[in-house]
Structure formats: structure tokens, C-alpha cells
Amino acid sequence: MLEEHVKLRCTIVPEWFGDVDPADPKVQKILDTGYVFCLPNRDDKGRRIVVCQMGAVNPKDKAISPDDLSRAGFLVNDAILRDENNMVNGFVYFIDFTGFTAKHMAFWGTEMIKKQGHFFGRYPGRFKEIHYFDTGPLFEAMFTIFRTFMPDKFKNRITMHGSNMEDVYKRIDKKLLPRDFLPDDYVGPCAGTIKDIIDEFKVNLMKRRDSILKEQSAFSYDLKKKPTDIPSESFRKIALD
């Protein structure tokens, strides 16, 4: 896993991981859209929840590319994985397709969807649950391509909620979600507004900016320097679930 992860970052899709500066105006712009962000509180199993709003970004914005979205997304994921508790407990994904249109589908393109499949088996992290919301025919076309790259363990952790948020609340407690995802008459605790959550997350990212950039520059992969006389039995296989 470790070698595959380094290859992912350095040789397979280096454009997603190299020099991703939290202060970059483009990164800040993507985070501000609410395309991807991490909820502030853990669930009852100690897991962080990552929200991805697939329809949040304007597909007509020529200043942003699918690779830019991937860069921002992995910046968020990397930030979460810096906490050892998240490596142990894993995390939950809530992927919202509200507002996702044919223009978004064209924006991503088939080749980019296939490219996303590279991260399976190469990115450390315990993806314990993946929840899809407000899916439709466009999602089905996109997912048909994407699921061909998914290991069975990922497929088994997917829940399709249609457009029923009440079904989502059974799996993700209302108190963990942004006010924007809750019923108008809900008066209980919540995580705040999406804007407030993103603003706080961006502040924390900027506090760690120097260490983030330092860690990114530390990765390198040179196959010529890899020893050739290491017996495979020398290492135990590490399986991340």
C-alpha cells in the first residue's frame, strides 16, 4: 500500500498532489463553493464525515478543471488523515448530487471518471460508509463507469438514498449535519451552516499550511533506486479496510 500510494502521488496522478497550496486562490474558490468539506464533529463510532456536493461547482467556469477539483478533494482528505484517530476509526462519505446536470457530466467527462479509479488500493484511509443522495439517470451513467474500478468491499459499503433525507438521518445523525441539510422546523443541535463549517476548516488548513507544503515536497518515487534483492516474505502485507 505504501509504495502504491507514493506511486499514485508521484507518477500516476502527480497533478492531483503536487504543490497544492491551501492559500492558492483557486483552491480557496473551490472550497468556498462547498464542493468538498469535512464536518466538524465525529459520529458515535469516532469517524469524521466528508461531504461532497457534486452540483456545487459551476461547470461553465473555465477557470476550474476536474483536476482542480481532485486537487482540492485530496487536500481535504490528506488533512483528515493527518489525525491518527481518523486512520484508526475511518471516515464516512456523504456525496450529494443535488443540482448535478448534464453540463456537470460533460464537465467531468468519461476519461476523468476513469482516472478517479486510480485511487482504489492506492490511497490510505478506511472508507467505512459511502452515502449517495439525490441520484438520478445522470448519476447512474457516471456510476456505471466508476463502479467498474471499485473493489467489492467499497461496493458493499455504499448506500443509495434516492432523494429521501429522512433515510439519510437514519444513518447520519442530524446533530452532525449542516443546518442547510436539515428540515426547516428542526430546532435541535447541528454543525452550523455550510459556510461557517467551510470558513473554520479553511482557517485550520491555513494554520497547517507550512507543514502541508513540506509534506507534499517530501514524496518522491524513483524505480531505479528500488532494491531488487528484497524477498517478498520480508514484509507483512498491510490491509486497510
Side-chain angles (χ1 to χ4, degrees):
M1 167 63 80
L2 179 57
E3 180 179 354
E4 288 300 315
H5 179 57
V6 175
K7 286 169 62 178
L8 176 73
R9 302 181 76 103
C10 299
T11 66
I12 298 176
V13 281
E15 62 272 24
W16 292 354
F17 297 99
D19 299 322
V20 186
D21 188 343
D24 184 338
K26 186 176 292 188
V27 171
Q28 292 279 314
K29 179 179 180 179
I30 291 170
L31 293 177
D32 284 338
T33 66
Y35 166 68
V36 60
F37 57 94
C38 182
L39 298 182
N41 300 313
R42 302 178 187 275
D43 67 9
D44 57 4
K45 296 181 180 178
R47 305 173 302 192
R48 296 298 295 272
I49 301 170
V50 179
V51 176
C52 183
Q53 298 186 108
M54 295 296 293
V57 174
N58 181 0
K60 295 182 180 179
D61 189 345
K62 302 299 184 182
I64 294 177
S65 71
D67 280 326
D68 292 327
L69 297 186
S70 294
R71 286 166 63 83
F74 281 108
L75 175 66
V76 172
N77 283 330
D78 283 354
I80 298 169
L81 291 178
R82 287 182 178 87
D83 185 332
E84 291 183 2
N85 289 321
N86 297 329
M87 288 292 291
V88 174
N89 299 329
F91 45 97
V92 174
Y93 256 86
F94 177 69
I95 305 175
D96 180 7
F97 273 78
T98 300
F100 188 81
T101 67
K103 292 180 180 178
H104 288 94
M105 184 70 175
F107 169 80
W108 281 99
T110 302
E111 290 306 311
M112 186 62 184
I113 297 171
K114 292 179 179 178
K115 192 175 177 181
Q116 293 283 330
H118 285 303
F119 101 96
F120 291 116
R122 294 187 175 98
Y123 193 81
R126 306 178 72 184
F127 299 80
K128 307 303 288 186
E129 296 180 13
I130 306 169
H131 299 273
Y132 286 99
F133 175 73
D134 207 8
T135 57
L138 289 173
F139 165 81
E140 294 298 336
M142 188 177 190
F143 190 67
T144 297
I145 301 170
F146 192 54
R147 72 176 287 123
T148 61
F149 303 100
M150 278 188 174
D152 288 340
K153 69 177 182 180
F154 278 88
K155 295 175 185 177
N156 295 335
R157 294 173 183 180
I158 291 173
T159 301
M160 301 291 188
H161 295 280
S163 57
N164 186 357
M165 278 301 292
E166 290 297 329
D167 194 45
V168 174
Y169 302 148
K170 295 175 183 178
R171 302 294 299 274
I172 303 176
D173 198 303
K174 290 179 182 178
K175 68 182 180 183
L176 301 173
L177 291 168
R179 168 65 62 187
D180 314 62
F181 289 171
L182 299 172
D184 293 339
D185 59 354
Y186 177 74
V187 295
C190 69
T193 66
I194 289 177
K195 183 180 184 308
D196 289 342
I197 294 169
I198 292 171
D199 287 346
E200 182 179 357
F201 187 77
K202 285 169 56 181
V203 168
N204 291 330
L205 271 182
M206 291 303 297
K207 287 179 180 178
R208 292 180 287 175
R209 176 175 179 256
D210 290 344
S211 63
I212 289 172
L213 294 175
K214 183 178 180 180
E215 288 173 14
Q216 290 177 5
S217 64
F219 283 94
S220 65
Y221 185 81
D222 187 346
L223 186 59
K224 295 179 181 178
K225 296 180 180 180
K226 181 180 178 180
T228 59
D229 58 349
I230 301 177
S232 58
E233 294 81 4
S234 296
F235 297 95
R236 296 174 61 188
K237 183 177 181 181
I238 299 175
L240 295 178
D241 64 352

